[in-house]
mmCIF file of all heavy atoms in Angstrom:
data_model
loop_
_atom_site.group_PDB
_atom_site.id
_atom_site.type_symbol
_atom_site.label_atom_id
_atom_site.label_comp_id
_atom_site.label_asym_id
_atom_site.label_seq_id
_atom_site.Cartn_x
_atom_site.Cartn_y
_atom_site.Cartn_z
ATOM 1 N N ASN Y 1 -11.945 1.487 22.996
ATOM 2 C CA ASN Y 1 -11.939 0.328 23.898
ATOM 3 C C ASN Y 1 -11.551 -0.919 23.092
ATOM 4 O O ASN Y 1 -10.751 -1.748 23.612
ATOM 5 C CB ASN Y 1 -13.320 0.225 24.439
ATOM 6 C CG ASN Y 1 -13.439 -1.067 25.345
ATOM 7 O OD1 ASN Y 1 -13.812 -2.015 24.893
ATOM 8 N ND2 ASN Y 1 -13.278 -0.832 26.635
ATOM 9 N N ALA Y 2 -12.052 -1.059 21.840
ATOM 10 C CA ALA Y 2 -11.657 -2.153 20.987
ATOM 11 C C ALA Y 2 -10.185 -2.113 20.696
ATOM 12 O O ALA Y 2 -9.530 -3.166 20.708
ATOM 13 C CB ALA Y 2 -12.594 -2.254 19.789
ATOM 14 N N CYS Y 3 -9.632 -1.008 20.431
ATOM 15 C CA CYS Y 3 -8.221 -0.790 20.179
ATOM 16 C C CYS Y 3 -7.457 -1.276 21.382
ATOM 17 O O CYS Y 3 -6.401 -1.971 21.292
ATOM 18 C CB CYS Y 3 -7.846 0.564 19.925
ATOM 19 S SG CYS Y 3 -8.448 1.212 18.249
ATOM 20 N N HIS Y 4 -7.874 -0.861 22.599
ATOM 21 C CA HIS Y 4 -7.180 -1.256 23.791
ATOM 22 C C HIS Y 4 -7.116 -2.775 23.929
ATOM 23 O O HIS Y 4 -6.189 -3.326 24.262
ATOM 24 C CB HIS Y 4 -7.854 -0.522 25.037
ATOM 25 C CG HIS Y 4 -7.163 -0.952 26.358
ATOM 26 N ND1 HIS Y 4 -7.627 -2.045 27.057
ATOM 27 C CD2 HIS Y 4 -6.092 -0.434 26.992
ATOM 28 C CE1 HIS Y 4 -6.807 -2.119 28.080
ATOM 29 N NE2 HIS Y 4 -6.015 -1.205 28.071
ATOM 30 N N TYR Y 5 -8.333 -3.343 23.729
ATOM 31 C CA TYR Y 5 -8.351 -4.862 23.787
ATOM 32 C C TYR Y 5 -7.496 -5.505 22.831
ATOM 33 O O TYR Y 5 -6.740 -6.484 23.132
ATOM 34 C CB TYR Y 5 -9.844 -5.256 23.530
ATOM 35 C CG TYR Y 5 -9.967 -6.791 23.421
ATOM 36 C CD1 TYR Y 5 -9.987 -7.614 24.594
ATOM 37 C CD2 TYR Y 5 -10.111 -7.410 22.194
ATOM 38 C CE1 TYR Y 5 -10.079 -8.977 24.586
ATOM 39 C CE2 TYR Y 5 -10.258 -8.838 22.192
ATOM 40 C CZ TYR Y 5 -10.222 -9.552 23.323
ATOM 41 O OH TYR Y 5 -10.350 -10.886 23.217
ATOM 42 N N THR Y 6 -7.477 -5.096 21.569
ATOM 43 C CA THR Y 6 -6.653 -5.598 20.504
ATOM 44 C C THR Y 6 -5.141 -5.461 20.922
ATOM 45 O O THR Y 6 -4.391 -6.388 20.764
ATOM 46 C CB THR Y 6 -6.983 -4.900 19.195
ATOM 47 O OG1 THR Y 6 -8.366 -5.187 18.910
ATOM 48 C CG2 THR Y 6 -6.075 -5.510 18.058
ATOM 49 N N ASP Y 7 -4.796 -4.305 21.317
ATOM 50 C CA ASP Y 7 -3.369 -4.001 21.812
ATOM 51 C C ASP Y 7 -2.998 -5.080 22.875
ATOM 52 O O ASP Y 7 -1.888 -5.517 22.869
ATOM 53 C CB ASP Y 7 -3.184 -2.638 22.191
ATOM 54 C CG ASP Y 7 -3.242 -1.604 21.106
ATOM 55 O OD1 ASP Y 7 -3.246 -2.005 19.963
ATOM 56 O OD2 ASP Y 7 -3.369 -0.383 21.424
ATOM 57 N N HIS Y 8 -3.922 -5.195 23.790
ATOM 58 C CA HIS Y 8 -3.660 -6.133 24.955
ATOM 59 C C HIS Y 8 -3.328 -7.556 24.433
ATOM 60 O O HIS Y 8 -2.470 -8.313 24.873
ATOM 61 C CB HIS Y 8 -4.801 -6.149 25.957
ATOM 62 C CG HIS Y 8 -4.601 -7.185 26.987
ATOM 63 N ND1 HIS Y 8 -3.734 -7.019 28.065
ATOM 64 C CD2 HIS Y 8 -5.251 -8.309 27.245
ATOM 65 C CE1 HIS Y 8 -3.816 -8.105 28.862
ATOM 66 N NE2 HIS Y 8 -4.702 -8.855 28.407
ATOM 67 N N VAL Y 9 -4.226 -8.027 23.524
ATOM 68 C CA VAL Y 9 -4.105 -9.418 22.969
ATOM 69 C C VAL Y 9 -2.793 -9.539 22.226
ATOM 70 O O VAL Y 9 -2.137 -10.546 22.248
ATOM 71 C CB VAL Y 9 -5.336 -9.778 22.132
ATOM 72 C CG1 VAL Y 9 -5.184 -11.109 21.412
ATOM 73 C CG2 VAL Y 9 -6.556 -9.799 23.022
ATOM 74 N N ILE Y 10 -2.448 -8.477 21.386
ATOM 75 C CA ILE Y 10 -1.247 -8.532 20.651
ATOM 76 C C ILE Y 10 -0.055 -8.624 21.577
ATOM 77 O O ILE Y 10 0.905 -9.362 21.399
ATOM 78 C CB ILE Y 10 -1.082 -7.308 19.622
ATOM 79 C CG1 ILE Y 10 -2.147 -7.484 18.522
ATOM 80 C CG2 ILE Y 10 0.308 -7.155 19.147
ATOM 81 C CD1 ILE Y 10 -2.266 -6.247 17.663
ATOM 82 N N GLY Y 11 -0.144 -7.817 22.694
ATOM 83 C CA GLY Y 11 0.991 -7.827 23.614
ATOM 84 C C GLY Y 11 1.161 -9.228 24.286
ATOM 85 O O GLY Y 11 2.218 -9.688 24.575
ATOM 86 N N SER Y 12 -0.034 -9.869 24.609
ATOM 87 C CA SER Y 12 -0.016 -11.259 25.139
ATOM 88 C C SER Y 12 0.680 -12.154 24.184
ATOM 89 O O SER Y 12 1.432 -13.043 24.546
ATOM 90 C CB SER Y 12 -1.344 -11.668 25.484
ATOM 91 O OG SER Y 12 -1.998 -10.964 26.493
ATOM 92 N N TYR Y 13 0.345 -12.066 22.834
ATOM 93 C CA TYR Y 13 0.926 -12.956 21.793
ATOM 94 C C TYR Y 13 2.431 -12.763 21.775
ATOM 95 O O TYR Y 13 3.233 -13.650 21.766
ATOM 96 C CB TYR Y 13 0.315 -12.731 20.578
ATOM 97 C CG TYR Y 13 0.870 -13.688 19.458
ATOM 98 C CD1 TYR Y 13 0.658 -15.034 19.516
ATOM 99 C CD2 TYR Y 13 1.632 -13.138 18.321
ATOM 100 C CE1 TYR Y 13 1.172 -15.883 18.504
ATOM 101 C CE2 TYR Y 13 2.093 -14.068 17.440
ATOM 102 C CZ TYR Y 13 1.867 -15.375 17.527
ATOM 103 O OH TYR Y 13 2.421 -16.208 16.517
ATOM 104 N N LEU Y 14 2.882 -11.411 21.812
ATOM 105 C CA LEU Y 14 4.288 -11.190 21.799
ATOM 106 C C LEU Y 14 4.998 -11.673 23.022
ATOM 107 O O LEU Y 14 6.158 -12.217 22.855
ATOM 108 C CB LEU Y 14 4.580 -9.655 21.581
ATOM 109 C CG LEU Y 14 4.044 -9.000 20.350
ATOM 110 C CD1 LEU Y 14 4.342 -7.477 20.382
ATOM 111 C CD2 LEU Y 14 4.640 -9.599 19.129
ATOM 112 N N ALA Y 15 4.358 -11.591 24.134
ATOM 113 C CA ALA Y 15 4.942 -12.170 25.366
ATOM 114 C C ALA Y 15 5.083 -13.796 25.249
ATOM 115 O O ALA Y 15 6.077 -14.259 25.719
ATOM 116 C CB ALA Y 15 4.099 -11.821 26.579
ATOM 117 N N HIS Y 16 4.112 -14.305 24.619
ATOM 118 C CA HIS Y 16 4.107 -15.748 24.381
ATOM 119 C C HIS Y 16 5.291 -16.125 23.525
ATOM 120 O O HIS Y 16 5.988 -17.106 23.846
ATOM 121 C CB HIS Y 16 2.781 -16.285 23.711
ATOM 122 C CG HIS Y 16 2.828 -17.616 23.244
ATOM 123 N ND1 HIS Y 16 2.776 -18.725 23.994
ATOM 124 C CD2 HIS Y 16 2.838 -18.051 21.972
ATOM 125 C CE1 HIS Y 16 2.906 -19.841 23.276
ATOM 126 N NE2 HIS Y 16 2.920 -19.407 21.976
ATOM 127 N N LEU Y 17 5.543 -15.391 22.452
ATOM 128 C CA LEU Y 17 6.644 -15.673 21.564
ATOM 129 C C LEU Y 17 7.987 -15.555 22.290
ATOM 130 O O LEU Y 17 8.876 -16.429 22.135
ATOM 131 C CB LEU Y 17 6.668 -14.715 20.351
ATOM 132 C CG LEU Y 17 5.472 -14.822 19.361
ATOM 133 C CD1 LEU Y 17 5.631 -13.792 18.272
ATOM 134 C CD2 LEU Y 17 5.466 -16.233 18.740
ATOM 135 N N LYS Y 18 8.152 -14.526 23.232
ATOM 136 C CA LYS Y 18 9.252 -14.546 24.063
ATOM 137 C C LYS Y 18 9.432 -15.613 25.028
ATOM 138 O O LYS Y 18 10.510 -16.141 25.189
ATOM 139 C CB LYS Y 18 9.258 -13.142 24.763
ATOM 140 C CG LYS Y 18 9.478 -11.891 23.858
ATOM 141 C CD LYS Y 18 9.302 -10.601 24.690
ATOM 142 C CE LYS Y 18 9.443 -9.456 23.739
ATOM 143 N NZ LYS Y 18 9.222 -8.104 24.418
ATOM 144 N N GLU Y 19 8.348 -15.967 25.616
ATOM 145 C CA GLU Y 19 8.318 -17.124 26.574
ATOM 146 C C GLU Y 19 8.779 -18.364 26.002
ATOM 147 O O GLU Y 19 9.505 -19.133 26.629
ATOM 148 C CB GLU Y 19 6.921 -17.216 27.158
ATOM 149 C CG GLU Y 19 6.739 -18.296 28.244
ATOM 150 C CD GLU Y 19 5.283 -18.426 28.625
ATOM 151 O OE1 GLU Y 19 4.760 -17.336 29.151
ATOM 152 O OE2 GLU Y 19 4.745 -19.533 28.535
ATOM 153 N N ILE Y 20 8.401 -18.699 24.728
ATOM 154 C CA ILE Y 20 8.811 -19.925 24.112
ATOM 155 C C ILE Y 20 10.118 -19.861 23.343
ATOM 156 O O ILE Y 20 10.543 -20.765 22.793
ATOM 157 C CB ILE Y 20 7.681 -20.537 23.254
ATOM 158 C CG1 ILE Y 20 7.344 -19.579 22.046
ATOM 159 C CG2 ILE Y 20 6.506 -20.783 24.127
ATOM 160 C CD1 ILE Y 20 6.338 -20.213 21.060
ATOM 161 N N GLY Y 21 10.696 -18.610 23.395
ATOM 162 C CA GLY Y 21 12.047 -18.434 22.793
ATOM 163 C C GLY Y 21 12.187 -18.240 21.379
ATOM 164 O O GLY Y 21 13.269 -18.452 20.823
ATOM 165 N N ILE Y 22 11.115 -17.857 20.651
ATOM 166 C CA ILE Y 22 11.218 -17.686 19.237
ATOM 167 C C ILE Y 22 11.008 -16.148 18.814
ATOM 168 O O ILE Y 22 11.137 -15.883 17.693
ATOM 169 C CB ILE Y 22 10.251 -18.496 18.457
ATOM 170 C CG1 ILE Y 22 8.814 -18.158 18.749
ATOM 171 C CG2 ILE Y 22 10.580 -19.992 18.687
ATOM 172 C CD1 ILE Y 22 7.794 -18.993 17.867
ATOM 173 N N TYR Y 23 10.761 -15.277 19.772
ATOM 174 C CA TYR Y 23 10.528 -13.815 19.436
ATOM 175 C C TYR Y 23 11.715 -13.242 18.646
ATOM 176 O O TYR Y 23 11.427 -12.601 17.626
ATOM 177 C CB TYR Y 23 10.308 -13.025 20.795
ATOM 178 C CG TYR Y 23 10.135 -11.510 20.502
ATOM 179 C CD1 TYR Y 23 8.890 -11.055 20.228
ATOM 180 C CD2 TYR Y 23 11.208 -10.777 20.533
ATOM 181 C CE1 TYR Y 23 8.665 -9.705 20.020
ATOM 182 C CE2 TYR Y 23 10.993 -9.318 20.399
ATOM 183 C CZ TYR Y 23 9.860 -8.872 20.043
ATOM 184 O OH TYR Y 23 9.562 -7.533 19.843
ATOM 185 N N ASP Y 24 12.914 -13.377 19.057
ATOM 186 C CA ASP Y 24 14.017 -12.838 18.439
ATOM 187 C C ASP Y 24 14.291 -13.301 16.953
ATOM 188 O O ASP Y 24 14.952 -12.607 16.214
ATOM 189 C CB ASP Y 24 15.310 -12.938 19.249
ATOM 190 C CG ASP Y 24 15.199 -12.137 20.585
ATOM 191 O OD1 ASP Y 24 14.590 -11.022 20.513
ATOM 192 O OD2 ASP Y 24 15.725 -12.579 21.577
ATOM 193 N N ASN Y 25 13.766 -14.475 16.635
ATOM 194 C CA ASN Y 25 14.022 -14.983 15.313
ATOM 195 C C ASN Y 25 12.672 -15.032 14.462
ATOM 196 O O ASN Y 25 12.436 -15.782 13.555
ATOM 197 C CB ASN Y 25 14.397 -16.462 15.459
ATOM 198 C CG ASN Y 25 15.793 -16.567 15.986
ATOM 199 O OD1 ASN Y 25 16.613 -15.797 15.763
ATOM 200 N ND2 ASN Y 25 16.084 -17.590 16.824
ATOM 201 N N THR Y 26 11.805 -14.113 14.821
ATOM 202 C CA THR Y 26 10.532 -13.926 14.190
ATOM 203 C C THR Y 26 10.295 -12.477 13.662
ATOM 204 O O THR Y 26 10.527 -11.528 14.302
ATOM 205 C CB THR Y 26 9.417 -14.260 15.174
ATOM 206 O OG1 THR Y 26 9.582 -15.544 15.722
ATOM 207 C CG2 THR Y 26 8.072 -14.257 14.523
ATOM 208 N N ILE Y 27 10.066 -12.432 12.348
ATOM 209 C CA ILE Y 27 9.637 -11.099 11.768
ATOM 210 C C ILE Y 27 8.100 -11.022 12.090
ATOM 211 O O ILE Y 27 7.283 -11.890 11.729
ATOM 212 C CB ILE Y 27 9.865 -11.122 10.309
ATOM 213 C CG1 ILE Y 27 11.326 -11.107 9.940
ATOM 214 C CG2 ILE Y 27 9.322 -9.772 9.686
ATOM 215 C CD1 ILE Y 27 11.692 -11.243 8.548
ATOM 216 N N ILE Y 28 7.758 -9.979 12.733
ATOM 217 C CA ILE Y 28 6.327 -9.741 13.217
ATOM 218 C C ILE Y 28 5.874 -8.489 12.412
ATOM 219 O O ILE Y 28 6.459 -7.425 12.511
ATOM 220 C CB ILE Y 28 6.311 -9.517 14.621
ATOM 221 C CG1 ILE Y 28 6.794 -10.648 15.267
ATOM 222 C CG2 ILE Y 28 4.858 -9.202 15.124
ATOM 223 C CD1 ILE Y 28 7.217 -10.544 16.833
ATOM 224 N N ILE Y 29 4.747 -8.675 11.689
ATOM 225 C CA ILE Y 29 4.112 -7.510 11.040
ATOM 226 C C ILE Y 29 2.740 -7.333 11.580
ATOM 227 O O ILE Y 29 1.946 -8.259 11.606
ATOM 228 C CB ILE Y 29 4.102 -7.730 9.566
ATOM 229 C CG1 ILE Y 29 5.489 -7.916 8.981
ATOM 230 C CG2 ILE Y 29 3.412 -6.549 8.805
ATOM 231 C CD1 ILE Y 29 5.562 -8.249 7.478
ATOM 232 N N ILE Y 30 2.464 -6.147 12.089
ATOM 233 C CA ILE Y 30 1.134 -5.873 12.648
ATOM 234 C C ILE Y 30 0.610 -4.753 11.709
ATOM 235 O O ILE Y 30 1.170 -3.737 11.532
ATOM 236 C CB ILE Y 30 1.263 -5.410 14.060
ATOM 237 C CG1 ILE Y 30 1.929 -6.471 14.941
ATOM 238 C CG2 ILE Y 30 -0.165 -4.991 14.602
ATOM 239 C CD1 ILE Y 30 2.293 -5.979 16.339
ATOM 240 N N THR Y 31 -0.512 -5.061 11.129
ATOM 241 C CA THR Y 31 -1.185 -4.055 10.272
ATOM 242 C C THR Y 31 -2.711 -4.264 10.237
ATOM 243 O O THR Y 31 -3.228 -5.218 10.746
ATOM 244 C CB THR Y 31 -0.619 -4.288 8.852
ATOM 245 O OG1 THR Y 31 -1.050 -3.185 8.055
ATOM 246 C CG2 THR Y 31 -1.025 -5.567 8.144
ATOM 247 N N SER Y 32 -3.394 -3.411 9.546
ATOM 248 C CA SER Y 32 -4.665 -3.400 9.274
ATOM 249 C C SER Y 32 -4.921 -3.486 7.752
ATOM 250 O O SER Y 32 -4.036 -3.015 7.014
ATOM 251 C CB SER Y 32 -5.351 -2.179 9.814
ATOM 252 O OG SER Y 32 -6.713 -2.096 9.488
ATOM 253 N N TYR Y 33 -6.074 -3.987 7.355
ATOM 254 C CA TYR Y 33 -6.197 -3.993 5.895
ATOM 255 C C TYR Y 33 -7.080 -2.822 5.455
ATOM 256 O O TYR Y 33 -7.266 -2.727 4.176
ATOM 257 C CB TYR Y 33 -6.662 -5.405 5.396
ATOM 258 C CG TYR Y 33 -8.041 -5.752 5.796
ATOM 259 C CD1 TYR Y 33 -9.120 -5.514 4.938
ATOM 260 C CD2 TYR Y 33 -8.202 -6.461 6.923
ATOM 261 C CE1 TYR Y 33 -10.398 -5.945 5.312
ATOM 262 C CE2 TYR Y 33 -9.437 -6.944 7.321
ATOM 263 C CZ TYR Y 33 -10.554 -6.638 6.455
ATOM 264 O OH TYR Y 33 -11.803 -7.028 6.857
ATOM 265 N N HIS Y 34 -7.600 -2.118 6.253
ATOM 266 C CA HIS Y 34 -8.318 -0.878 5.892
ATOM 267 C C HIS Y 34 -8.389 0.062 7.075
ATOM 268 O O HIS Y 34 -8.160 -0.413 8.260
ATOM 269 C CB HIS Y 34 -9.687 -1.111 5.293
ATOM 270 C CG HIS Y 34 -10.582 -1.878 6.256
ATOM 271 N ND1 HIS Y 34 -11.237 -1.275 7.354
ATOM 272 C CD2 HIS Y 34 -11.075 -3.136 6.280
ATOM 273 C CE1 HIS Y 34 -11.964 -2.131 7.955
ATOM 274 N NE2 HIS Y 34 -11.916 -3.252 7.280
ATOM 275 N N HIS Y 35 -8.781 1.323 6.833
ATOM 276 C CA HIS Y 35 -8.904 2.250 7.908
ATOM 277 C C HIS Y 35 -10.358 2.109 8.514
ATOM 278 O O HIS Y 35 -11.092 1.335 8.104
ATOM 279 C CB HIS Y 35 -8.680 3.688 7.460
ATOM 280 C CG HIS Y 35 -9.620 4.068 6.370
ATOM 281 N ND1 HIS Y 35 -9.601 3.684 5.045
ATOM 282 C CD2 HIS Y 35 -10.796 4.849 6.457
ATOM 283 C CE1 HIS Y 35 -10.558 4.207 4.407
ATOM 284 N NE2 HIS Y 35 -11.376 4.885 5.122
ATOM 285 N N VAL Y 36 -10.633 2.836 9.549
ATOM 286 C CA VAL Y 36 -11.872 2.758 10.273
ATOM 287 C C VAL Y 36 -12.980 3.284 9.339
ATOM 288 O O VAL Y 36 -12.837 4.303 8.669
ATOM 289 C CB VAL Y 36 -11.861 3.629 11.504
ATOM 290 C CG1 VAL Y 36 -13.216 3.693 12.162
ATOM 291 C CG2 VAL Y 36 -10.859 3.178 12.480
ATOM 292 N N HIS Y 37 -14.016 2.515 9.217
ATOM 293 C CA HIS Y 37 -15.199 2.894 8.312
ATOM 294 C C HIS Y 37 -16.316 3.308 9.157
ATOM 295 O O HIS Y 37 -17.281 2.612 9.443
ATOM 296 C CB HIS Y 37 -15.630 1.683 7.469
ATOM 297 C CG HIS Y 37 -14.587 1.249 6.466
ATOM 298 N ND1 HIS Y 37 -14.620 0.064 5.925
ATOM 299 C CD2 HIS Y 37 -13.566 1.918 5.957
ATOM 300 C CE1 HIS Y 37 -13.556 -0.102 5.126
ATOM 301 N NE2 HIS Y 37 -12.897 1.023 5.088
ATOM 302 N N THR Y 38 -16.251 4.567 9.609
ATOM 303 C CA THR Y 38 -17.325 5.136 10.266
ATOM 304 C C THR Y 38 -17.304 6.732 10.023
ATOM 305 O O THR Y 38 -16.254 7.276 9.734
ATOM 306 C CB THR Y 38 -17.218 4.900 11.878
ATOM 307 O OG1 THR Y 38 -18.384 5.415 12.486
ATOM 308 C CG2 THR Y 38 -15.975 5.532 12.402
ATOM 309 N N ALA Y 39 -18.417 7.318 10.179
ATOM 310 C CA ALA Y 39 -18.522 8.707 9.898
ATOM 311 C C ALA Y 39 -18.581 9.559 11.075
ATOM 312 O O ALA Y 39 -18.619 10.776 11.159
ATOM 313 C CB ALA Y 39 -19.822 8.990 9.010
ATOM 314 N N ASN Y 40 -18.595 8.855 12.354
ATOM 315 C CA ASN Y 40 -18.772 9.601 13.556
ATOM 316 C C ASN Y 40 -17.532 9.943 14.355
ATOM 317 O O ASN Y 40 -17.607 10.163 15.583
ATOM 318 C CB ASN Y 40 -19.791 8.833 14.352
ATOM 319 C CG ASN Y 40 -21.138 8.610 13.755
ATOM 320 O OD1 ASN Y 40 -21.594 9.481 13.056
ATOM 321 N ND2 ASN Y 40 -21.732 7.476 14.019
ATOM 322 N N PHE Y 41 -16.397 9.866 13.715
ATOM 323 C CA PHE Y 41 -15.135 10.134 14.510
ATOM 324 C C PHE Y 41 -14.613 11.584 14.228
ATOM 325 O O PHE Y 41 -13.700 12.010 14.808
ATOM 326 C CB PHE Y 41 -14.112 9.162 14.057
ATOM 327 C CG PHE Y 41 -14.357 7.834 14.675
ATOM 328 C CD1 PHE Y 41 -15.447 7.437 15.306
ATOM 329 C CD2 PHE Y 41 -13.220 6.815 14.567
ATOM 330 C CE1 PHE Y 41 -15.651 6.174 15.797
ATOM 331 C CE2 PHE Y 41 -13.480 5.525 15.047
ATOM 332 C CZ PHE Y 41 -14.620 5.220 15.715
ATOM 333 N N GLY Y 42 -15.204 12.244 13.259
ATOM 334 C CA GLY Y 42 -14.813 13.691 12.987
ATOM 335 C C GLY Y 42 -13.378 13.832 12.747
ATOM 336 O O GLY Y 42 -12.799 13.059 11.956
#
């Protein structure tokens, strides 16, 4: 659910960059600085 929310917000930001006309001239890097820290995902 948190992943879905984050994906939605990133999508909104990318749409904003397109709307203001700078998307095509922007290098966009989407990353995490670590993996999930939980033991319950098997």
